[in-house]
Amino acid sequence: TVERQRAPTRITVSAAREGDDLVLPIEDDRGVLGEENDPRGPGLGLSNLRARLSALHGDRASLALSQLSPAGVHTVLRLPCAS
C-alpha cells in the first residue's frame, strides 16, 4: 500500500487489450507489500477486491501484485473484455 508520506508518490496506470482480456498494469514507486506470512492477511481491501472479481468474472479475472526494489508495487489487473 501507499502510506501517507511527505514525499510525492508516482502512480502509473496503463491499459491494453490482450486477446479477450483488458489488462491494466498499475505501478507506484513508494508502496510496500506486507510480509507473506503476516497473520493479518493481505488486507481487507485486497480481499474484498479479489472476492468481487471472482463473483463477477470467476476465474476469467485476476489480480497479481509484486514488490519492486527498493520500493514500489507492480500490480496487474486482468478482466474479461467484451467483443
Side-chain angles (χ1 to χ4, degrees), residues 1 3 32-47:
T1 61
E3 305 291 333
V32 178
L33 293 177
E35 294 294 321
E36 194 169 314
N37 297 321
D38 190 335
R40 296 173 293 175
L44 186 58
L46 287 175
S47 295

Side-chain angles (χ1 to χ4, degrees), residues 4 9 13 15 21 34 42 44 51 53 55 58 60-61 63 66 69-70 76 80-82:
R4 179 179 283 189
T9 299
V13 179
D21 293 338
L44 186 58
L53 287 172
R60 294 185 58 210
L63 177 70
S66 58
S69 181
V76 177
C81 188

